[in-house]
Amino acid sequence: GGDPIPAVGQFDHGNNAGFKSKLDKCEDASFAPTSPIWLRFEPFILHVMCRSLKAASVLMALARPSFKNVGLTSWNNGGGDENDNSEVGGSSKNQQCKGGGPRFLVAIWGDEGLDMPLSLPSSPGRGLFYNPDKGDSDNGDGTAEAAEWLAQLINERHTRNWKKIDRFVEAVRTAEEGAVDLEHSNDVDGAIHGIDRVELSGEDGINGHANDSRSKRNISGLPIPRSYDVVGDVAILNALPEGDEDVQRKVGEWIMSRNKAMKICVARSNPLSTSYRSPGKSGLIQLAGPRRDPIITSHYEYGVKCVVDLQHTFFSPRMAPERLRLSQQVARGERVLVVFAGVGMEALQIAARTEAKKVLAIERNDVAAECLRRARRMLERNKTATCPGGGKGAAERLSIMEGDALDILPTLEDSSFDRIIAPRPKEGTLDGDTGTGDAGKQFLLAMLPLLKLKGEVHWYDFAADHELPNCDRTRHTAQDVCQSLGMEMEVIHVAKEGVLQKDNSEFAWISE
């Protein structure tokens, strides 16, 4: 309801009895409407409160092939942190049921709607598509033909609406059979757009269908991996399946058959050992699907698209929840610096989802920088951007600088950024508790002078299991650099991110 025009076939807000009386009057042939009659055909609309970010992500991925409009709203009712794995007085799921903790609401709505008048205000009793005075005969004025056309139009929309619903229902059932693991609600390996991390076996699954998935893998007689990543329309296996090329092709085809959105399947043939953490041209072997060279795809996260060259750049869909959390930290009017931006998903999310005054992304890899520039051009046309000015405004606030961070950072103005995000790449054996490098001190020395008083730094280091959760080595490294620059710091948040034991340490410069 809520439409100011009194319309037969619509509920009046707060007056269902009045609506019923209108229907009763319509059954009386002597009833003559005194106001325009309005036709409204509503499309499919569904709101689902999900128990975890990962569950919401998978539901969105399943809905998007059928419905164009899919969105996510998240908030915290208190009493819990979405990144908190602790269970005090019961599980986190019970805590959400009692009203506390993070909430994730997925909205899905179709576009097969219709909203139009059936009569004019000047003559509400005479229809635009049907003249009641002439009965079933149009007497040459075309009203009967127009009425048939309108009925056909509405029925076609009804049919298309139901087909989309059926396709969505089938996708959910297929996901149940595939046993996508949703039970670990705080797992950072979750998906944001597309099922970014698919588990084909395990103890948990949707409605306990993991055993079905295992049986299908066994029946196939193929060396199907237990899990794989999805970036855009590409399924990525962490290693080549055992067997000859024919077996590997069949493995790729089997995986692609599980999700029609996947167009090709590839497998890594060597570790990510280059300075750019990219597999290289020979590092990805295509197993199935139309030949693609170079292997480039576009990847969605929360309605924001980035371009990824999988052979020459590093990108992990498993960091998507962390990227969302980062964008939620940015306040209105902040100036944000993203160092080691890669293909730029962190910068794109912040530009599109926040009211940041400026976002500057720095990247040395020329291929990754070009991917980011292409994504910025696509951002201009993004209609889902929630920032002021929409996608065009987001693209205008995002700046890109290509080159070595150690060369660019000294050229920037001191005390000019409120927030610095540094998801630095791993430097092989130089990093970690047994590394021989400086643990990123040279980058911190170059970055921190750019930070405003009480500004925040999101610093990513690499830690071993025994260093978690305190990460004292990383704390001491940041503390030493701050002291050498005459700064004081306060550690705000330390957490494990991703599968590389990537320690995310956030600290603030609180005084000079």
Side-chain angles (χ1 to χ4, degrees), residues 191-494:
I192 296 304
H193 186 100
I195 305 174
D196 296 328
R197 179 71 173 176
V198 178
E199 301 287 346
L200 294 179
S201 66
E203 297 178 357
D204 299 310
I206 298 180
N207 296 337
H209 284 271
N211 291 331
D212 294 341
S213 179
R214 281 195 296 269
S215 64
K216 290 183 179 181
R217 293 173 63 236
N218 295 335
I219 291 174
S220 69
L222 297 170
I224 306 297
R226 292 172 59 88
S227 64
Y228 56 89
D229 293 328
V230 177
V231 178
D233 62 351
V234 182
I236 306 175
L237 281 60
N238 288 325
L240 278 171
E242 296 179 357
D244 56 23
E245 291 185 3
D246 185 60
V247 172
Q248 294 173 355
R249 176 183 57 79
K250 291 180 179 179
V251 169
E253 291 174 348
W254 189 94
I255 291 174
M256 290 171 58
S257 69
R258 311 302 297 167
N259 186 344
K260 298 302 182 183
M262 291 184 291
K263 303 304 181 184
I264 66 172
C265 180
V266 301
R268 293 192 179 98
S269 60
N270 57 37
L272 304 178
S273 57
T274 66
S275 60
Y276 293 146
R277 300 292 296 163
S278 60
K281 190 173 181 62
S282 60
L284 286 181
I285 306 299
Q286 184 169 340
L287 306 182
R291 186 59 50 185
R292 188 182 300 185
D293 188 22
I295 302 176
I296 299 176
T297 187
S298 57
H299 183 81
Y300 272 102
E301 282 182 9
Y302 299 106
V304 178
K305 182 188 291 187
C306 72
V307 178
V308 184
D309 185 326
L310 292 170
Q311 294 169 308
H312 302 103
T313 66
F314 173 80
F315 178 79
S316 173
R318 309 182 199 182
M319 296 292 290
E322 171 64 9
R323 286 189 280 264
L324 175 63
R325 192 189 68 85
L326 283 177
S327 65
Q328 293 173 338
Q329 305 296 312
V330 178
R332 178 184 300 172
E334 283 193 0
R335 294 169 57 89
V336 182
L337 172 63
V338 182
V339 193
F340 322 111
V343 299
M345 185 54 93
E346 291 89 351
L348 292 165
Q349 288 281 353
I350 293 171
R353 299 177 58 85
T354 73
E355 297 184 41
K357 184 177 181 179
K358 178 182 180 180
V359 181
L360 174 60
I362 298 176
E363 173 55 40
R364 184 178 69 171
N365 184 346
D366 58 335
V367 178
E370 179 58 28
C371 288
L372 178 51
R373 283 190 284 266
R374 291 176 59 182
R376 182 175 60 180
R377 290 194 293 269
M378 292 188 294
L379 183 60
E380 295 179 359
R381 304 185 297 273
N382 191 319
K383 296 181 180 180
T384 64
T386 58
C387 63
K392 185 175 181 180
E396 291 174 350
R397 288 188 292 274
L398 174 58
S399 301
I400 305 169
M401 298 185 71
E402 180 182 340
D404 194 310
L406 294 177
D407 296 331
I408 294 176
L409 293 174
T411 66
L412 303 178
E413 181 182 356
D414 287 350
S415 304
S416 57
F417 292 95
D418 301 279
R419 189 177 304 271
I420 298 177
I421 299 171
R424 72 183 184 92
K426 183 173 173 61
E427 299 183 80
T429 57
L430 296 179
D431 279 316
D433 59 328
T434 60
T436 58
D438 66 353
K441 283 186 177 181
Q442 56 179 338
F443 298 119
L444 286 171
L445 287 169
M447 287 190 304
L448 292 182
L450 306 179
L451 196 65
K452 293 181 180 179
L453 183 63
K454 297 185 179 180
E456 295 184 17
V457 175
H458 302 261
W459 175 250
Y460 294 79
D461 199 0
F462 297 86
D465 284 331
H466 66 83
E467 295 184 278
L468 300 172
N470 293 328
C471 300
D472 292 332
R473 177 178 54 84
T474 302
R475 288 172 181 259
H476 294 154
T477 298
Q479 186 69 55
D480 291 345
V481 173
C482 286
Q483 288 180 353
S484 68
L485 294 174
M487 303 176 178
E488 292 186 8
M489 60 166 273
E490 174 187 358
V491 177
I492 301 174
H493 173 77
V494 178

